[in-house]
Amino acid sequence: MLGLTLLYVGAVLFVNGLWLLGKIEDKEVAVINLLVGFLSFLIAIYLVFNKSQDLNLISAGAFTFLFAFTYIWVGANQFLKSNSKGLGWFCFFVSLTALTIALNSTFKISMDISIWSIFNWYAWSVLWFLFFVMLSLSKNIQRQVGLFTIFCAVTTGWIPGLLILQNIYEIY
């Protein structure tokens, strides 16, 4: 599941980065955001409501919901013609959540948390904080956010997703 999720997260972040750089139109970017949002939502439901009641799976599902909802919201905003300030505040919340997971992962590094996972949570924390600054505080940092979004797409989603799906690398 992780490889599947990360592959599509890499794709949506890459396309969103291009969109922020002005290479893709608003309506076009909605399609992949809604697709990845709903795919992530279904994966999160599976993880949270599994029969095992494994806390690790439930946690993964809970955190996946945060990102799934972000992508659905981005896609919906294209049709609603929203100013995205509410989405920006939600991104601030996601950023703080990702930061707490990154910090927790940092201090539990000897207890099965990989360096890659720590890097991801810090990168996502910064990325969602930048979305908050750009959307809710109306700062003109669209180009920088677009470039960082593409960087995160490749390093936290696409490459790890491919490696996991091809059974080349195991995160945990």
Side-chain angles (χ1 to χ4, degrees):
M1 289 268 195
L2 182 60
L4 170 71
T5 304
L6 291 174
L7 180 67
Y8 281 91
V9 166
V12 75
L13 290 176
F14 181 75
V15 170
N16 284 342
L18 291 173
W19 169 58
L20 290 169
L21 293 171
K23 305 292 184 191
I24 298 172
E25 293 180 19
D26 290 353
K27 289 182 182 177
E28 217 175 2
V29 80
V31 175
I32 192 157
N33 277 280
L34 292 172
L35 170 77
V36 175
F38 287 121
L39 175 65
S40 299
F41 187 81
L42 291 174
I43 290 169
I45 287 174
Y46 173 80
L47 293 171
V48 169
F49 299 106
N50 70 78
K51 291 183 181 182
S52 73
Q53 293 300 299
D54 180 340
L55 183 58
N56 291 327
L57 293 176
I58 293 170
S59 294
F63 301 138
T64 300
F65 274 125
L66 291 173
F67 297 101
F69 192 60
T70 302
Y71 301 131
I72 292 169
W73 199 336
V74 169
N77 276 353
Q78 301 315 308
F79 295 108
L80 298 173
K81 305 282 188 215
S82 171
N83 68 12
S84 298
K85 288 195 183 288
L87 172 60
W89 282 103
F90 180 73
C91 289
F92 181 64
F93 173 81
V94 173
S95 171
L96 292 178
T97 303
L99 179 61
T100 64
I101 296 165
L103 290 170
N104 186 39
S105 297
T106 300
F107 296 109
K108 288 185 172 184
I109 194 165
S110 65
M111 300 177 66
D112 86 357
I113 302 296
S114 70
I115 298 292
W116 173 84
S117 180
I118 294 168
F119 166 77
N120 272 12
W121 284 111
Y122 280 113
W124 292 335
S125 175
V126 170
L127 183 59
W128 262 254
F129 182 77
L130 290 173
F131 292 154
F132 158 71
V133 170
M134 182 181 69
L135 297 171
S136 291
L137 303 182
S138 302
K139 298 297 181 185
N140 188 16
I141 57 172
Q142 191 166 334
R143 177 169 169 66
Q144 295 87 343
V145 174
L147 292 171
F148 189 65
T149 301
I150 291 170
F151 170 78
C152 287
V154 172
T155 60
T156 69
W158 177 55
I159 291 173
L162 284 175
L163 294 175
I164 291 168
L165 287 174
Q166 295 178 60
N167 205 22
I168 295 170
Y169 183 67
E170 291 183 28
I171 300 299
Y172 295 106

